[in-house]
Amino acid sequence: VLPISRPLIHILDIQPHKGEMDNPKQHEGRVALITGAASGIGLQIARDLAQQGATVCIVDRNGPAAEQAAEAIRSEGGQALALVLDLAD
């Protein structure tokens, strides 16, 4: 198994719709799974997607850090869920 050294992002229905690029809530109603999102680049990506209306799933092997990241996003008005997962298993 190869370790993942950068966040892995999967957004359901990623294709932009006409006029969507100018829409600040362009990911409204979508779900994004971001690995390594408890900190660093992954967390910033999760915050950006949440601000754009996506529900973000913070996937990280560090459970407390993942929950802290999800809580921070919720406190900013976003929708977030923490999932504990070690992709190396």
Side-chain angles (χ1 to χ4, degrees):
V1 176
L2 297 175
I4 296 177
S5 61
R6 61 180 179 209
L8 173 67
I9 304 163
H10 180 79
I11 302 175
L12 305 179
D13 187 27
I14 186 94
Q15 297 301 318
H17 300 135
K18 185 177 181 179
E20 194 171 75
M21 298 308 288
D22 298 325
N23 181 358
K25 292 292 185 180
Q26 64 183 336
H27 295 301
E28 189 78 43
R30 296 179 181 164
V31 176
L33 302 173
I34 306 109
T35 62
S39 64
I41 294 169
L43 177 56
Q44 188 57 53
I45 290 168
R47 281 188 158 132
D48 291 347
L49 289 170
Q51 288 175 351
Q52 295 170 6
T55 298
V56 294
C57 296
I58 306 295
V59 181
D60 204 281
R61 63 183 171 185
N62 183 336
E67 184 53 50
Q68 184 178 8
E71 180 57 37
I73 290 169
R74 289 191 294 265
S75 73
E76 296 166 359
Q79 295 182 6
L81 170 70
L83 299 174
V84 180
L85 179 65
D86 186 349
L87 296 175
D89 285 345

